[in-house]
Amino acid sequence: MKLLYKDLLTTPIDKLIINSLEQALYQAIVVIDGCEHVVWQSEQKTLTTRNLTKMREHFEKLDIKEIVLRHESAYDEMVGQPTKNGSNRLEVPLRQNPYAVLKHLH
């Protein structure tokens, strides 16, 4: 079952994961009741953006407990790092507000 963005408007979200896929391509994943779900914009397309702030704006008014930016790299060995047996996942916490200065103050 696909989780559509429009269905999240009334759903409490434990965690929003903004997954950094590649050079400025971000995908939305939500955690609800301990399960990760990719967010779909429509039946045919996942919710992705080329701008981190734009992705955060999509979720600005939703009920979300935690927001993180996630990155996993498949290229450690290409930058002189040894190949790892485990994950190299990095999650950076983000604030609820996507702006350094509130939008309404501009």
Side-chain angles (χ1 to χ4, degrees):
M1 181 181 100
K2 294 180 179 178
L3 182 59
L4 297 174
Y5 173 77
K6 67 179 182 168
D7 297 333
L8 294 176
L9 300 177
T10 58
T11 305
I13 299 168
D14 299 325
K15 184 178 187 179
L16 167 62
I17 301 165
I18 301 174
N19 196 23
S20 175
L21 298 175
E22 61 180 56
Q23 301 174 345
L25 180 62
Y26 302 98
Q27 176 187 49
I29 299 171
V30 292
V31 178
I32 299 172
D33 295 328
C35 295
E36 287 189 13
H37 305 274
V38 173
V39 179
W40 289 75
Q41 184 173 334
S42 67
E43 286 290 332
Q44 296 78 31
K45 184 178 180 338
T46 60
L47 179 59
T48 57
T49 66
R50 290 266 177 204
N51 182 302
L52 178 59
T53 301
K54 290 292 182 198
M55 179 62 82
R56 293 178 72 187
E57 286 175 351
H58 283 291
F59 293 89
E60 187 176 17
K61 298 194 186 322
L62 300 184
D63 181 19
I64 301 172
K65 295 178 185 162
E66 179 184 10
I67 302 172
V68 298
L69 175 64
R70 177 187 283 175
H71 179 73
E72 296 180 77
S73 175
Y75 305 107
D76 281 346
E77 67 282 356
M78 294 176 74
V79 293
Q81 297 294 318
T83 303
K84 295 181 178 140
N85 292 333
S87 172
N88 66 354
R89 178 180 289 174
L90 171 67
E91 288 190 358
V92 179
L94 299 174
R95 297 180 328 177
Q96 294 292 102
N97 183 346
Y99 306 99
V101 177
L102 296 177
K103 248 191 328 192
H104 70 275
L105 294 178
H106 291 281

